Amino acid sequence: MATTGRPRDVRLDAAILDATRELLARDGYAGLTMDAVAERAGIGKAAIYRRHGTKQEMVFAAAIHEPELPGRPDTGSLVGDLTALVQEIVDHLTSPAASAAVLGLLADVAPDSALAVRFRERFVSRELADIESVLDRAVTRGELPPPPARPDASTVHALVAGPVFALLYLQRTPPNGLAERLAPVVATALTATRSPGG
């Protein structure tokens, strides 16, 4: 009879991410090491590497979001769905851990093509799938045209994530009300792609 491996211990998952967040807040991204996370979590480094292939992946999972994203609820409108999506991105990027990690993460990932591919496969692909569900619902409601005229998820990802990053990290805009300001602008840009009378 075939046997499966031991079930993954979610308590260890949480311990690793909690330790990473605590150390990011204390030591910053540059000062964070796998050894320190292992010590703080009370586990061996091997347990970390079974879950996260690199320091950068571990930090992203702890500071921004884990690889799996929960299903996105239907708010009933494209503007509502985009507002919820943008608010989630704002929340992710304004946590103490994210504030300590984001710029260092980008500096590490951007020049490393292999690491960038891993990030796209592990994290960005989930974000794109999340946006696909928002766009598909908008098509069903008649707010957007069906493919191929429908905006693609990659473009919408850039339209929501890019401005949030610029507003928070470059312009130092307070996060309150950001989603309500940005989402209608993005929705207007997307619905402008509809054909006349469509």
Side-chain angles (χ1 to χ4, degrees):
M1 178 173 163
T3 59
T4 59
R6 288 182 302 171
R8 188 151 136 178
D9 190 337
V10 295
R11 293 171 300 176
L12 287 184
D13 296 345
I16 292 166
L17 298 182
D18 287 345
T20 302
R21 293 182 191 108
E22 292 168 11
L23 292 172
L24 281 170
R26 190 189 75 184
D27 302 331
Y29 177 76
L32 182 79
T33 66
M34 299 293 252
D35 286 324
V37 172
E39 181 178 355
R40 174 62 66 95
I43 60 174
K45 275 201 300 184
I48 297 177
Y49 281 112
R50 282 195 294 271
R51 292 159 171 81
H52 308 286
T54 64
K55 167 186 169 178
Q56 292 79 14
E57 291 171 64
M58 177 185 70
V59 169
F60 192 98
I64 313 299
H65 68 73
E66 296 184 47
E68 297 303 324
L69 291 170
R72 180 162 300 284
D74 186 347
T75 67
S77 71
L78 177 60
V79 171
D81 283 357
L82 288 173
T83 301
L85 174 63
V86 174
Q87 186 61 57
E88 189 173 285
I89 296 170
V90 170
D91 292 343
H92 286 161
L93 292 180
T94 53
S95 71
S99 298
V102 167
L103 296 180
L105 267 176
L106 289 176
D108 278 355
V109 173
D112 188 329
S113 58
L115 188 56
V117 168
R118 286 181 61 89
F119 261 75
R120 181 172 179 84
E121 291 174 348
R122 191 168 190 217
F123 298 107
V124 178
S125 63
R126 272 65 167 191
E127 296 169 7
L128 293 174
D130 196 24
I131 291 172
E132 286 281 358
S133 69
V134 169
L135 298 177
D136 287 343
R137 287 201 296 258
V139 170
T140 300
R141 296 187 201 104
E143 296 171 293
L144 291 176
R150 192 208 75 182
D152 65 276
S154 294
T155 299
V156 177
H157 185 267
L159 284 173
V160 293
V164 171
F165 179 87
L167 287 163
L168 291 176
Y169 284 89
L170 301 181
Q171 298 182 26
R172 298 293 179 181
T173 303
N176 293 341
L178 204 58
E180 289 77 12
R181 286 172 49 199
L182 182 58
V185 175
V186 175
T188 297
L190 296 181
T191 55
T193 64
R194 294 181 63 185
S195 60

